[in-house]
Amino acid sequence: MSATVEVTEGPVLSKAEGRRRSINWGTIGWAVMLFLAVFAILLPIYIMFKTAIADRASIVTGGRYPEPLWPFEPNLDQFGVLFGKKDFITSGLFSLWVALLSVAFALLLGTPAAFALARFKFPGMGVLALVIIGIRLFPDVASAIPVAEWFMKPPLVYIPALIQVAMAHALVSAPYVVYICQGVFATIPKDLEEQAEIMGASKLQAFINVVIPVALPGMAAAAIYTFLLSWNEFIFAYYLLFQSTANTLPVYMMRLLTWTPQRNYLAALAVVLSLPVILFTFLVQRYMIAGMTAGAVK
Amino acid sequence: MANVKFEHITKRYGDVTVVSDVNLDIADGEFVCFVGPSGCGKSTCLRMVAGLEEITEGRLYIGERLANYVPPKDRGIAMVFQSYALFPHMTVNANISFGLKIKKVPEAERREKIKWALDLVDLGGLGERYPKELSGGQRQRVALARALVLSPEVLLLDEPLSNLDAKLRLKMRTEMKRIHKMVEATVIYVTHDQVEAMTLSDRIAIINLGQLMQAGPPLEVYARPNNMFVAGFIGSPPINLMQAKLEERDGKLFVVTPDFALSLPEDKAAKARAWGGGPQDFGELSRAVVLGARPQDIYETAHAPAMPWTGNTIRAIVDVMEPLGDAVVATVLAGQQVLQVTLPPETEAQSDRPIDLIVDLSNIHLFDPQTEEAIF
């Protein structure tokens, strides 16, 4: 009998505890703040999506009724219009090529430097590492001008615009590549290379056959970061393409703005511009974080 | 097949000398263990043979060739790292064939060799696995197979068993010996575990503070240590070392501690007298020495074999008893001296009770307290 009493008393106590926790105003306050932050961050994205799929009546109200929270007749018409435009397609492909090339340039430039920083000890190394990443603290607008000027003079002016922009973007992302990859390389035991060398590999073979494959997930993070940076980048592309007919997507969008097209058309373009970012962020966030922290810990 | 010769090998990092004037001739096909405490320079010695560390001074010969400046891949060596250093992105097969591929061995021959190596380490059928899918013991075997498949003349092993649990370590120790018998390569094996070194090697090289203390067959370094360090490092439980004095009593030479005295047999007494340059009379002038007696050479009087000496008994009190099954390690107090003694399992000794001990005088050691060198 007495045992039963003890058993029933247990849950009663814990329920009381549960109630006390549920009216914790501090927790509610934090939850509200979190909600506000998420709301503020997601609001523009919501507006962008909503506008992109809006029918004409949902955005041109003439002030007679409030703009609906969700379009009256959601549709993908504007995407159809967008993909029907030749200059949009050319700009999109141009952007893609620039981004891919900039990844290649940045990795070629950054990984050997990162490996050197991770593996070899030489005087002034700490300062050098700091300078490489510290460079990125300069405002982009400020560094865009000397870079653009450089590209406007011979010999660099003879390089095709596509490669010019990719080179400029690689310049911007190389410090991040060095930073991330250095952290990745530092986590790879030296034993692996030494083992490869003992087994007959040259230093280069050990680097290519052993170090790079093991570093690949971390390097993928750097590559994606570089890709997205180039895909989003506006200032450098704007200056470098000033006299060119080619556009990257952000530049294309800016040029569209000058003749104020319909808002849902612009929003559709914005969605297309954001999609790779959203896609990559969800697909590879694990690798990104791994790459970032690997860099951060070192 | 190749011998390895260290000639005055020295390694310095800046002002720090980590290996100092090591001379050692390792014969073709010999299994040599470098043993010593952490940081004694044994791994550095191995890495110098591998070509992973530059040699500051001295000459290293592999085979008849001066190898100081030969790159690792041309030394005819293979190595197993403590971490195993398996390539995590490659299957077991790919790991093992890595070296063969670089040496451009044709594929058919490669496949044959992989199979041979996997069978040798008893890993047949696991070739398609990745290292992360293997247990610690299996990884260790892959590392070994990967080294052996290159048919090295010299096989270098850097603490290969230290990451395994105790039971597996014993099993792999036996395995190592078996494999060495089959492949007949010269093996240099680094370990900090003296038992491993004793059981595996043809010869042990004991290293301390970057210096080669002694090199010799296991039983020889156990029975005739050159100095106090070797005596203390080799043997388990460790040798009992005690401050003592040599004293002449009635024409006989005694080793005297504050708590007991042992009379030296004639041959040992002669060596003690010869110590420090010629016959000496210790009657007036007693000389300080360090006495060493292994736990296995101190017997409980009741269970002792017959001994031809007198004046070799110690009376003590048992402090702690540690049964091991086949023996009991007793820590006893002889006055102020703390001694460890290995007793048979049928001993009647009990904690906090007196015990009569008798010392096998043929196996005791004396050391010079200044130089720490052995007198005998």
Side-chain angles (χ1 to χ4, degrees):
Chain A
M1 230 8 227
S2 63
T4 329
V5 172
E6 274 170 23
V7 168
T8 50
E9 240 169 18
V12 171
L13 265 173
S14 69
K15 243 185 223 166
E17 247 176 306
R19 248 203 308 280
R20 220 180 312 145
R21 218 177 291 140
S22 71
I23 44 169
N24 185 335
W25 289 106
T27 311
I28 291 177
W30 286 117
V32 169
M33 292 309 293
L34 175 65
F35 177 76
L36 279 178
V38 171
F39 180 75
I41 290 165
L42 292 182
L43 188 63
I45 297 172
Y46 155 71
I47 293 175
M48 179 179 79
F49 271 104
K50 184 192 80 160
T51 316
I53 57 172
D55 53 310
R56 198 173 154 76
S58 304
I59 52 165
V60 187
T61 62
R64 285 193 300 268
Y65 50 91
E67 207 171 294
L69 288 177
W70 194 246
F72 299 122
E73 285 168 34
N75 62 71
L76 298 175
D77 294 353
Q78 294 306 325
F79 291 95
V81 178
L82 197 57
F83 281 95
K85 293 214 170 191
K86 201 173 160 252
D87 52 352
F88 164 75
I89 300 291
T90 18
S91 301
L93 287 177
F94 188 81
S95 252
L96 189 68
W97 276 112
V98 165
L100 291 176
L101 271 176
S102 83
V103 169
F105 290 161
L107 288 184
L108 278 175
L109 196 64
T111 39
F115 189 69
L117 277 177
R119 274 293 183 273
F120 305 112
K121 284 195 167 67
F122 44 88
M125 207 174 76
V127 178
L128 195 64
L130 200 69
V131 165
I132 287 178
I133 193 69
I135 282 277
R136 294 310 315 135
L137 293 175
F138 281 95
D140 277 352
V141 183
S143 42
I145 291 178
V147 170
E149 197 188 286
W150 208 27
F151 277 112
M152 272 188 264
K153 283 189 231 160
L156 292 185
V157 75
Y158 303 123
I159 296 173
L162 173 75
I163 294 177
Q164 282 192 355
V165 181
M167 282 168 78
H169 286 176
L171 210 59
V172 178
S173 47
Y176 296 112
V177 172
V178 173
Y179 183 68
I180 295 172
C181 290
Q182 180 217 341
V184 174
F185 290 141
T187 61
I188 299 175
K190 212 171 174 226
D191 288 4
L192 291 185
E193 288 157 64
E194 291 180 342
Q195 179 65 255
E197 278 177 48
I198 288 176
M199 289 169 84
S202 66
K203 281 198 191 296
L204 188 67
Q205 279 174 317
F207 183 71
I208 291 171
N209 292 319
V210 174
V211 178
I212 293 288
V214 176
L216 221 47
M219 286 174 61
I224 287 158
Y225 192 84
T226 305
F227 182 90
L228 294 181
L229 192 140
S230 166
W231 184 262
N232 296 340
E233 206 283 330
F234 173 71
I235 301 277
F236 282 85
Y238 180 70
Y239 277 110
L240 289 173
L241 297 173
F242 203 73
Q243 291 169 316
S244 162
T245 50
N247 292 321
T248 62
L249 278 181
V251 175
Y252 174 71
M253 194 174 191
M254 201 279 302
R255 287 187 177 165
L256 273 188
L257 281 169
T258 54
W259 52 268
T260 50
Q262 209 165 289
R263 269 168 55 213
N264 50 358
Y265 178 74
L266 265 184
L269 177 54
V271 168
V272 172
L273 198 54
S274 320
L275 270 181
V277 182
I278 295 167
L279 208 71
F280 274 129
T281 310
F282 278 101
L283 281 181
V284 296
Q285 54 168 332
R286 222 154 33 97
Y287 288 126
M288 299 272 291
I289 293 165
M292 294 303 191
T293 49
V297 169
K298 189 59 205 173
Chain B
M1 303 265 106
N3 62 324
V4 177
K5 193 171 178 189
F6 288 70
E7 251 184 40
H8 303 289
I9 296 283
T10 296
K11 173 72 186 176
R12 286 190 210 98
Y13 294 109
D15 293 337
V16 187
T17 305
V18 289
V19 172
S20 162
D21 193 28
V22 169
N23 290 289
L24 184 64
D25 204 344
I26 299 170
D28 186 11
E30 199 176 16
F31 195 126
V32 171
C33 278
F34 287 176
V35 64
S38 298
C40 69
K42 58 190 188 297
S43 279
T44 310
C45 282
L46 192 77
R47 291 172 60 84
M48 286 192 284
V49 179
L52 298 171
E53 301 281 349
E54 268 179 43
I55 296 165
T56 316
E57 265 169 43
R59 291 154 176 268
L60 175 80
Y61 292 93
I62 299 177
E64 293 313 312
R65 182 164 64 143
L66 180 66
N68 284 40
Y69 301 105
V70 178
K73 63 184 168 86
D74 300 327
R75 292 190 179 203
I77 53 159
M79 181 159 169
V80 175
F81 285 75
Q82 186 174 8
S83 65
Y84 311 149
L86 297 181
F87 305 136
H89 59 293
M90 294 183 193
T91 61
V92 169
N93 280 340
N95 261 286
I96 296 175
S97 70
F98 183 84
L100 300 173
K101 245 184 198 165
I102 281 181
K103 294 196 168 123
K104 300 207 162 62
V105 175
E107 185 168 350
E109 193 185 334
R110 231 161 47 207
R111 224 176 293 136
E112 212 168 281
K113 284 198 161 180
I114 293 170
K115 194 184 172 307
W116 168 82
L118 281 178
D119 286 345
L120 189 67
V121 297
D122 205 11
L123 274 186
L126 293 184
E128 291 307 318
R129 299 252 188 116
Y130 282 90
K132 62 170 182 285
E133 298 166 338
L134 300 176
S135 70
Q138 289 170 330
R139 284 180 208 176
Q140 202 274 337
R141 285 158 191 251
V142 175
L144 198 59
R146 189 175 61 173
L148 292 171
V149 81
L150 295 172
S151 325
E153 295 184 327
V154 183
L155 179 59
L156 307 172
L157 304 162
D158 190 1
E159 308 235 9
L161 304 184
S162 64
N163 289 341
L164 303 180
D165 64 59
K167 201 174 156 194
L168 202 53
R169 197 150 59 219
L170 289 187
K171 188 171 168 234
M172 281 312 291
R173 205 166 75 191
T174 319
E175 204 73 339
M176 287 276 177
K177 216 161 182 173
R178 181 178 67 84
I179 289 169
H180 175 240
K181 223 166 64 183
M182 289 174 69
V183 299
E184 297 175 328
T186 309
V187 178
I188 305 180
Y189 185 110
V190 164
T191 177
H192 61 269
D193 181 347
Q194 56 97 8
V195 181
E196 222 167 271
M198 292 285 282
T199 49
L200 280 173
S201 31
D202 296 323
R203 217 147 45 107
I204 299 184
I206 298 123
I207 300 175
N208 186 38
L209 302 173
Q211 287 177 318
L212 180 61
M213 296 273 122
Q214 187 172 358
L219 293 181
E220 186 187 301
V221 293
Y222 178 82
R224 285 189 294 282
N226 273 352
N227 53 49
M228 265 164 72
F229 179 82
V230 173
F233 197 82
I234 301 292
S236 170
I239 193 169
N240 297 295
L241 293 171
M242 294 155 271
Q243 302 295 330
K245 279 176 182 165
L246 283 176
E247 272 180 33
E248 190 95 44
R249 292 177 188 169
D250 307 329
K252 291 197 78 176
L253 200 56
F254 282 79
V255 186
V256 182
T257 77
D259 304 294
F260 58 85
L262 302 177
S263 93
L264 287 179
E266 269 321 304
D267 56 328
K268 303 240 176 219
K271 279 181 190 159
R273 285 201 169 91
W275 165 50
Q280 287 181 44
D281 178 5
F282 292 101
E284 304 286 318
L285 184 76
S286 62
R287 257 185 101 171
V289 290
V290 172
L291 167 66
R294 295 202 182 272
Q296 292 81 0
D297 294 326
I298 306 177
Y299 296 86
E300 191 179 6
T301 309
H303 297 283
M307 289 183 209
W309 315 288
T310 54
N312 57 339
T313 57
I314 302 174
R315 195 160 169 79
I317 302 217
V318 178
D319 186 16
V320 182
M321 305 266 289
E322 296 167 72
L324 298 175
D326 59 340
V328 180
V329 176
T331 304
V332 305
L333 301 170
Q336 289 159 5
Q337 303 286 352
V338 181
L339 301 178
Q340 283 202 307
V341 185
T342 308
L343 301 176
E346 62 270 20
T347 177
E348 291 101 36
Q350 283 175 12
S351 275
D352 299 324
R353 290 291 192 76
I355 183 170
D356 284 314
L357 301 170
I358 185 161
V359 181
D360 182 348
L361 294 179
S362 60
N363 288 333
I364 63 169
H365 302 278
L366 285 193
F367 302 96
D368 183 322
Q370 257 80 51
T371 63
E372 302 197 349
E373 295 294 315
I375 300 163
F376 57 75

